[in-house]
């Protein structure tokens, strides 16, 4: 039981593979589009990449005219941002706010499907001196939308770092940093009165790194945990399998502590870097690929450590950084634009679970496993991981590489490395049509063996990478 309204996924998208959730819309995945690149692609190239990957929600860190024009008539839902450096001017002048809305919203809407305005970003942390004018900035921008008759179509909020939540575990004891109450409480009342979401940036990676081993890596990554390793809130008796879900519930308890209700939590940033320096050994491709998503591109000119530059899904040329399935965003991201992906046994997976999955694939899964018999080309190496890889990949291709067909209860993973070896060639089968595929997955889910296909909710009570990302409805 989790309190994230409608939430079924994660991800950075600084999601934004971010994942966003609202009270009246199902969870979805989108991406943040940062611009700290030495060779930023042209807006038309960015939009072409978004369309090719069927990404339907994006967040801009400004209100760039070129991007807004390029996004016109695409149907992609767009969140725009008022940068922190513009916050003081807008928060001190109603006319400045009205001018901003006229130039950056009214001039583009409805051709460009703008749904959200983010007023600043992590203001309490990055620009604390401007925090006192934040409420006025929110109200002035909203008032300008009202004057333009756009307040129902476009919501206004401000992304806040999760560090504002103190004593976050157990979640039932969480509360906001009271020193910010003079600003935070009016912000929350504004969100409540306008039907807007509480935007929260949640980074399990930083929680994991900053606590120096207190948080197990698997708990930070959405990896399966045995029941005796789950974190338990002694007050609610809720079990948590990952730090992300616990933080979301902590946010709801912190809101309740201030008597704020009916305000959905919307995760605007989350993720895991795919590369780090020597002090960041867990910033790896494999860990980033556990379902977290943050932003569209790696930002090579971003200041800070190596990991700060490696939160993206693609390089500036549109080449994917790693394999990732965005279940609510459309097709599969893969580090090969031809989608040349394979399904293999996950390294270190439990052998008994692998054997059970292998038995299912070669039985109810209807995979032709004759090549695994002794004397046949794929018999060697004679171990469960190698045999499971053959069966998993055969099933994955037999099912047309459909969403959720490479999971096998968490013991399978996608890769762009062809597992063929010697005379054992992994030959791709023709994909089945959507109707047949859907029917097959339904049968797969209902088998008595209990194997399930991972759906739109990847990793417990999630969101996405995640984030998605920061996605806005």
């Amino acid at each position: 039981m989790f309190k994230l309204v409608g939430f079924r996924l994660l991800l950075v998208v600084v999601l934004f593979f971010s994942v966003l959730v609202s009270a009246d819309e199902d969870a979805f995945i989108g991406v943040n589009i940062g611009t700290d690149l030495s060779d930023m692609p042209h807006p038309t190239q960015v939009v072409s990449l978004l369309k090719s990957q069927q990404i339907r929600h994006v967040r801009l860190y400004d209100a760039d005219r070129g991007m807004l024009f390029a996004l016109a008539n695409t149907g992609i839902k767009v969140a725009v941002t008022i940068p922190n450096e513009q916050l003081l001017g807008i928060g001190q002048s109603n006319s400045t706010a009205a001018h901003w809305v006229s130039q950056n919203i009214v001039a583009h809407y409805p051709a460009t499907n703008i749904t959200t305005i983010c007023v600043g970003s992590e203001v309490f942390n990055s620009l604390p001196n401007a925090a006192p004018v934040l409420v006025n900035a929110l109200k002035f921008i909203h008032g300008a939308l009202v004057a333009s008759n756009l307040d129902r179509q476009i919501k206004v909020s401000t992304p806040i770092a999760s560090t504002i939540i103190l004593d976050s575990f157990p979640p039932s004891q969480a509360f906001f940093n009271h020193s910010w109450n003079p600003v935070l409480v009016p912000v929350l009342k504004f969100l409540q009165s306008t039907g807007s979401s509480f935007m929260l940036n949640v980074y399990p990676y930083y929680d994991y790194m900053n606590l120096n081993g207190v948080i197990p890596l698997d708990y930070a990554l959405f990896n399966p945990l045995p029941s005796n390793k789950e974190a338990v809130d002694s007050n609610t008796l809720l079990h948590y399998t990952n730090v992300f879900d616990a933080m979301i519930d902590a946010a709801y308890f912190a809101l309740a502590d201030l008597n704020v209700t009916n305000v959905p939590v919307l995760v605007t940033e989350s993720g895991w870097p795919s590369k780090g320096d020597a002090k960041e050994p867990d910033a790896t491709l494999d860990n980033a690929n556990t379902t977290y998503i943050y932003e569209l591109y790696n930002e090579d000119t971003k200041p800070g450590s190596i990991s700060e530059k490696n939160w993206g899904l693609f390089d500036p040329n549109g080449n994917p950084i790693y394999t990732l399935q965005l279940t609510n965003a459309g097709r599969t991201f893969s580090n090969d634009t031809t989608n040349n992906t394979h399904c293999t046994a996950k390294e270190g997976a439990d052998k008994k679970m692998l054997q059970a999955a292998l038995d299912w694939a070669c039985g109810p899964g209807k995979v032709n496993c004759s090549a695994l018999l002794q004397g046949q080309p794929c018999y060697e190496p004679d171990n469960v991981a190698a045999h499971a890889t053959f069966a998993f990949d055969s099933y994955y291709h037999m099912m047309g590489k459909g969403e959720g067909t490479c999971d096998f209860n968490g013991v399978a993973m996608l890769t762009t490395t062809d597992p063929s070896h010697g005379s054992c060639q992994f030959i791709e089968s023709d994909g089945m049509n959507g109707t047949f595929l859907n029917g097959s997955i339904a049968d797969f889910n209902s088998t008595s063996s209990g194997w399930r296909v991972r759906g739109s909710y990847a990793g417990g009570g999630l969101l996405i990478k995640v984030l998605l990302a920061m996605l806005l409805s």
Side-chain angles (χ1 to χ4, degrees), residues 89-106:
I90 289 175
Q92 293 174 341
S93 171
N94 203 346
S95 61
T96 300
H99 179 74
W100 191 94
V101 168
S102 175
Q103 294 294 308
N104 298 290
I105 304 298
V106 177

Side-chain angles (χ1 to χ4, degrees), residues 350-463:
D350 182 84
K351 290 183 179 180
K352 290 184 178 180
M353 294 182 68
L354 280 175
Q355 185 64 58
L358 171 61
D359 293 343
W360 185 92
C362 295
K366 300 181 180 180
V367 170
N368 181 356
C369 294
S370 59
L372 298 176
L373 297 175
Q374 189 169 4
Q376 297 303 308
C378 296
Y379 176 74
E380 296 290 348
D382 181 17
N383 61 66
V384 67
H387 287 192
T389 289
F390 176 88
F392 293 173
D393 194 60
S394 298
Y395 181 82
Y396 174 60
H397 287 103
M398 183 178 75
M399 302 305 294
K401 300 182 179 180
E403 177 182 308
T405 57
C406 180
D407 181 68
F408 292 92
N409 217 30
V411 297
M413 62 178 285
L414 288 173
T415 179
T416 55
T417 302
D418 187 345
S420 298
H421 53 90
S423 60
C424 180
Q425 297 298 307
F426 287 59
I427 301 174
E428 296 190 9
S429 303
D430 292 333
M432 299 179 180
N433 63 53
T435 302
F436 191 92
L437 173 61
N438 290 338
S440 298
I441 289 181
D443 294 338
F444 180 50
N445 282 331
S446 63
T447 58
S448 59
S449 63
W451 292 100
R452 58 176 174 75
V453 175
R454 184 171 296 185
S456 62
Y457 176 67
L462 166 77
L463 113 101

Side-chain angles (χ1 to χ4, degrees), residues 259-320:
N259 296 315
V260 175
T261 59
N262 300 321
V263 174
V265 173
L266 183 154
V267 177
T268 42
E269 296 181 15
S270 186
W272 198 279
S274 60
K275 185 178 180 181
D277 57 31
K279 297 180 180 179
E280 301 172 299
D282 295 305
T284 66
L285 289 174
D286 286 343
N287 288 344
N289 194 29
T290 59
T291 65
Y292 283 109
I293 39 180
Y294 171 30
E295 57 188 344
L296 192 63
Y297 297 109
N298 275 345
E299 297 183 273
D300 62 322
T301 64
K302 205 169 188 178
S305 63
I306 292 176
S307 66
E308 284 295 327
K309 310 173 192 297
N310 289 277
W311 292 80
L313 298 172
F314 297 89
D315 67 19
N317 296 318
N319 299 313

